[in-house]
Amino acid sequence: MRSRQRVLGAVMRLLLKCLRLGRRRRFRLVREAEQLWHYGRLCLRSLLYNSFTNGDVVLDSLFEPIYWLVDHVTRWFGVVFVALVIGLTSSIVAIVYICLLPLILQTYTPAWICWHLAYGHWNLIMIVFHYYMAITTSPGHPPQAKDDLTGVSICRKCIAPKPARTHHCSICNRCVLKMDHHCPWLNNCVGHYNHRYFFSFCLFMTLGCIYCSISGWEMFRDAYAAIERMKLLEKESLQVSANQTYYQTPPPIFSFRQRAFHKSVVYLWVLCSSVALALGALTLWHAALITRGETSIERHINKKERQRLQKKGKIFRNPYSYGGWDNWKVFLGVDVPRHWLTRVLLPSPHLPHGTGLSWDRPPCVTKQRTPLLAI
């Protein structure tokens, strides 16, 4: 009996010892896992630590694949957008010559005919000239040799000199002088040497669309009413022909030429009105930027700088602004009064002021520009 109790006691002590060892081992494994976890987090934070990292940097890193896709799609579809602009503009011009112009010559007075012929062809020449110059003129790129420039920074993407107002275009993969933006409708960057061509194209295209919309308003109403009448008569003729044989079906009431004429007029008015609204808003936006002496990129930079200095009790002054009127003179290249006719109202391939590498005061500016900061 005692031997049995001794054996049972030994077995129980052995089981308790095993359970105690298993618990210690389990606790030791948990502690080792926690130590590995904390060590891994410390290593990861040490590798990714950056004192300049914030929420904006993290979001930019997350959206980098999307930016890459958009840049490549825009680069390859630029030719398609240019062809689309040329095709749509050519179709509008063809409709004007085929549909609107004959009616103008038949119904308008000689004075109005001269006005339409003069203004329409002048507007068309200005649109074609400025669009061709905008897509074929290089926006300007800084030289690769740093010896040619003084006091410039280095672009972190192309590792090249970066003068003031120069920015890197991720689509063209080059730095652009006085870069405003990359325009897919031009398949080109808008920069120092073609900024005037881009704005002039937007302005004259908007004026041309407004001209076509106003001139074709009465024709649009008549064409739209004729199309609705066509649909109604076709429905009635189908109901009548349903009770007749194949050989008794009446011929169509309207010819193909009449249908094409009315639909072309409706297409012209809808397209011109839509483009006038969209492109007109873009033109007004760029006109406001030109008045302030800014580009689209500089507006965001100056806004952040203005807010930063405002917290310190300082006032930000744009160093590239000479005042609203002088900003327009510098942008358009108007040095003398006759340039408003020869360089603004007529096609002119004159170069802008300066080289885009330095920004000295142009000769057409009468006032000294304000300092960068005024405390």
Side-chain angles (χ1 to χ4, degrees):
M1 187 69 181
R2 292 180 179 178
S3 61
R4 290 183 179 178
Q5 292 179 353
R6 290 176 181 174
V7 172
L8 184 60
V11 172
M12 292 298 294
R13 285 193 297 270
L14 181 61
L15 288 175
L16 291 174
K17 188 176 182 180
C18 292
L19 290 174
R20 194 179 297 115
L21 290 175
R23 187 178 301 171
R24 291 178 180 175
R25 183 174 298 175
R26 185 169 64 250
F27 288 157
R28 187 172 59 188
L29 291 176
V30 171
R31 285 196 302 270
E32 290 179 356
E34 290 179 354
Q35 291 176 358
L36 290 175
W37 167 253
H38 291 301
Y39 179 74
R41 287 185 58 187
L42 181 61
C43 289
L44 186 62
R45 292 182 62 183
S46 64
L47 291 174
L48 300 178
Y49 176 76
N50 190 338
S51 59
F52 296 99
T53 300
N54 52 25
D56 295 336
V57 175
V58 174
L59 287 177
D60 289 341
S61 301
L62 293 176
F63 281 95
E64 190 66 28
I66 299 178
Y67 296 151
W68 180 87
L69 181 62
V70 171
D71 291 345
H72 282 70
V73 169
T74 305
R75 184 183 306 169
W76 289 109
F77 274 83
V79 179
V80 178
F81 290 151
V82 171
L84 187 62
V85 171
I86 296 174
L88 293 177
T89 306
S90 301
S91 65
I92 295 299
V93 173
I95 293 173
V96 169
Y97 274 103
I98 296 173
C99 300
L100 269 67
L101 188 59
L103 291 179
I104 290 175
L105 296 177
Q106 294 174 4
T107 57
Y108 284 29
T109 61
W112 276 108
I113 291 175
C114 293
W115 154 254
H116 282 288
L117 291 177
Y119 178 81
H121 287 89
W122 169 78
N123 205 152
L124 178 61
I125 291 172
M126 297 298 284
I127 290 173
V128 173
F129 171 79
H130 287 102
Y131 187 69
Y132 174 78
M133 295 299 293
I135 63 178
T136 57
T137 303
S138 173
H141 306 284
Q144 298 296 317
K146 190 177 180 181
D147 297 336
D148 300 337
L149 302 173
T150 58
V152 299
S153 58
I154 300 297
C155 178
R156 64 178 183 178
K157 294 183 179 180
C158 58
I159 316 300
K162 186 179 179 181
R165 311 187 80 178
T166 299
H167 300 280
H168 187 88
C169 177
S170 57
I171 299 175
C172 298
N173 199 24
R174 293 188 67 180
C175 283
V176 177
L177 298 175
K178 192 193 169 187
M179 179 180 177
D180 188 88
H181 68 288
H182 183 93
C183 182
W185 300 101
L186 301 179
N187 194 28
N188 195 7
C189 271
V190 177
H192 179 63
Y193 289 103
N194 64 348
H195 194 182
R196 179 178 65 88
Y197 297 132
F198 165 77
F199 177 78
S200 299
F201 164 71
C202 293
L203 176 63
F204 289 112
M205 179 63 83
T206 302
L207 294 177
C209 290
I210 294 174
Y211 164 73
C212 291
S213 298
I214 296 176
S215 302
W217 168 244
E218 295 295 334
M219 294 182 62
F220 166 74
R221 293 176 57 186
D222 296 340
Y224 186 80
I227 290 175
E228 293 297 325
R229 190 166 59 253
M230 288 179 192
K231 294 179 180 179
L232 181 61
L233 293 177
E234 285 180 355
K235 185 182 295 184
E236 293 177 355
S237 63
L238 288 175
Q239 292 176 355
V240 173
S241 62
N243 300 325
Q244 297 177 351
T245 62
Y246 174 79
Y247 298 101
Q248 294 175 337
T249 301
I253 301 174
F254 296 94
S255 63
F256 173 79
R257 185 175 182 179
Q258 291 175 325
R259 296 170 186 270
F261 175 83
H262 294 309
K263 292 182 179 179
S264 298
V265 172
V266 172
Y267 162 78
L268 177 143
W269 192 88
V270 172
L271 181 60
C272 288
S273 301
S274 303
V275 173
L277 290 175
L279 195 59
L282 179 65
T283 304
L284 291 176
W285 164 255
H286 280 278
L289 293 177
I290 294 169
T291 305
R292 294 196 296 262
E294 296 176 333
T295 62
S296 300
I297 298 176
E298 290 173 350
R299 179 189 176 275
H300 299 286
I301 298 175
N302 293 344
K303 182 179 179 181
K304 292 182 179 179
E305 188 67 14
R306 188 178 294 110
Q307 293 174 353
R308 186 183 69 85
L309 294 176
Q310 188 176 6
K311 295 179 181 179
K312 297 182 178 181
K314 300 180 181 180
I315 301 175
F316 173 77
R317 304 288 186 185
N318 184 6
Y320 309 113
S321 177
Y322 308 100
W325 182 249
D326 286 336
N327 287 337
W328 278 102
K329 291 170 63 178
V330 173
F331 178 78
L332 298 174
V334 176
D335 298 329
V336 293
R338 71 170 183 273
H339 286 167
W340 288 104
L341 174 63
T342 59
R343 293 187 173 186
V344 179
L345 298 180
L346 294 177
S348 175
H350 66 276
L351 297 176
H353 288 290
T355 60
L357 303 176
S358 60
W359 300 96
D360 300 327
R361 186 170 65 91
C364 61
V365 177
T366 56
K367 298 179 181 179
Q368 295 287 339
R369 62 184 176 185
T370 56
L372 178 61
L373 299 178
I375 301 177

